[in-house]
Each structure stands twice: as C-alpha cells, then as structure tokens.
Amino acid sequence: WAAAKTWDPEGALSTLPAVATALLGVQAGRWLARPVPLPARIRGLIVAGVVGVLLGEVWDLAFPINKNLWTSSFVALTAGMACLCLGALLWVVEVRGWRRWTRPALVFGVNPILAYVGSELMAIIIGGVITLPWDHRIAPLQDVIYEAVFYPLLPEKAASLAFALLFVALWWAILEVLYRRRIFLKV
C-alpha cells in the first residue's frame, strides 16, 4: 500500500489528454448552446459520440485505451461515450418529456457545493472524529454503523455498496429539504 501512495500513475504526460477531455466537454456545451433546434443538436451529439467511440476503438489498436495513463484513445472513447449518453438523456428528458426520475439530479445539481463539502465533512466526522466503544475497541462511527447494520446482513461488497447508497440517500434527503425551502448555497 505504501508504494501506491508514492507515485502518480497518470504522470505529467497525462495532463494534455486531461485538458483535451475538458475542452471536449466545453465544445459539447457550446454545441448545445447553439441556436439550432434541439433535435439537430441531439443528432450532432449522437454523431460525435459514434465518431468518438469508433476513433477510440481504432486508435486503441496502436495506442491502447488506458485510464490510468489517460491515453488519447481513452479520451476519444470516453468523450464519445459521454456524447452518446448526453444525447440519449436529452432525448429522454427534453424530447420525450420523461422528467420525474431526474429529481435527485436536480436536487444535487442546485446545491453541488453544499453536497460536496457537507458530505466530505460528514465522512471525516463519522470516519474518525466520532468514536464509540465497539467490539472490544474504540471504533469510528462509520465502522460501527457498517459492522452493526450492513455487514451482518450482506456480503462484504454488497454491504459496502449499501452503506454508500445510504450515505448518498441521506445527503439527498438533506438537499431535498433545502430545495423545497429554496435554500441554495452559492459562491
């Protein structure tokens, strides 16, 4: 474990493809902001997505797709996949009008800073600040909740997932209350 913390698998050379990823996202946003009918913008995203996925797969033959190194083939593939997903979501939400399921994203999206900072602080607090006597030791509250509630009922990986989902659901509930009261943290 110690060795894994002493090196950066991405390295300096992955900075350029990471910047390219961000710029492709900016381009997608600019594409969506164009004064063109929505169906045409969605088609453009789908075409760009197919081109990106194909380009990434073909480029993989010469320069393998590798997330840890953030290779250019990885950038092309993931940008293409993102365009396909965004196009599909726009079609489902804006064209078909299926919006009810988007409520959690809306609630998190209008208070993202609070969601991030609050969940990080909560993770720190339950991960070590608040401790309790548990199983012949002093344990962080997070361990006590996990070991008392989830671990006895589920296999280890499923228990970990259930704990994480509960954590997200708790923050969704907090943010839902704030959303209903129109309380938004802005910088």
Side-chain angles (χ1 to χ4, degrees):
W1 292 98
K5 294 181 182 181
T6 60
W7 62 282
D8 177 14
E10 289 86 7
L13 291 178
S14 67
T15 301
L16 289 176
V19 169
T21 300
L23 291 176
L24 288 169
V26 169
Q27 280 304 113
R30 291 180 72 189
W31 174 263
L32 288 175
R34 294 178 57 203
V36 175
L38 182 62
R41 288 181 279 162
I42 292 172
R43 277 192 303 277
L45 280 173
I46 300 298
V47 168
V50 169
V51 168
V53 168
L54 290 175
L55 181 64
E57 290 292 343
V58 169
W59 187 226
D60 175 55
L61 299 172
F63 199 57
I65 295 167
N66 187 317
K67 189 250 184 230
N68 285 342
L69 298 177
W70 212 275
T71 59
S72 52
S73 54
F74 173 78
V75 171
L77 176 71
T78 56
M81 292 170 66
C83 283
L84 290 171
C85 289
L86 183 56
L89 283 170
L90 280 169
W91 181 79
V92 165
V93 173
E94 298 299 331
V95 175
R96 298 294 298 181
W98 299 336
R99 291 188 173 96
R100 290 195 79 196
W101 64 275
T102 64
R103 178 68 178 229
L106 174 66
V107 168
F108 274 98
V110 296
N111 253 333
I113 295 169
L114 180 62
Y116 175 74
V117 173
S119 66
E120 286 292 318
L121 289 173
M122 185 175 178
I124 291 167
I125 290 168
I126 69 170
V129 174
I130 299 175
T131 58
L132 301 169
W134 177 256
D135 197 28
H136 310 295
R137 70 185 201 279
I138 300 297
L141 178 59
Q142 174 179 316
D143 291 1
V144 173
I145 294 169
Y146 175 80
E147 292 172 18
V149 177
F150 298 101
Y151 190 68
L153 301 174
L154 300 165
E156 189 173 351
K157 288 181 181 178
S160 180
L161 175 62
F163 182 89
L165 291 174
L166 176 68
F167 193 86
V168 172
L170 174 66
W171 273 99
W172 176 76
I174 292 168
L175 295 171
E176 177 69 33
V177 169
L178 295 175
Y179 181 82
R180 289 180 184 184
R181 294 182 180 175
R182 299 286 182 229
I183 299 172
F184 308 115
L185 177 67
K186 297 186 185 214
V187 177

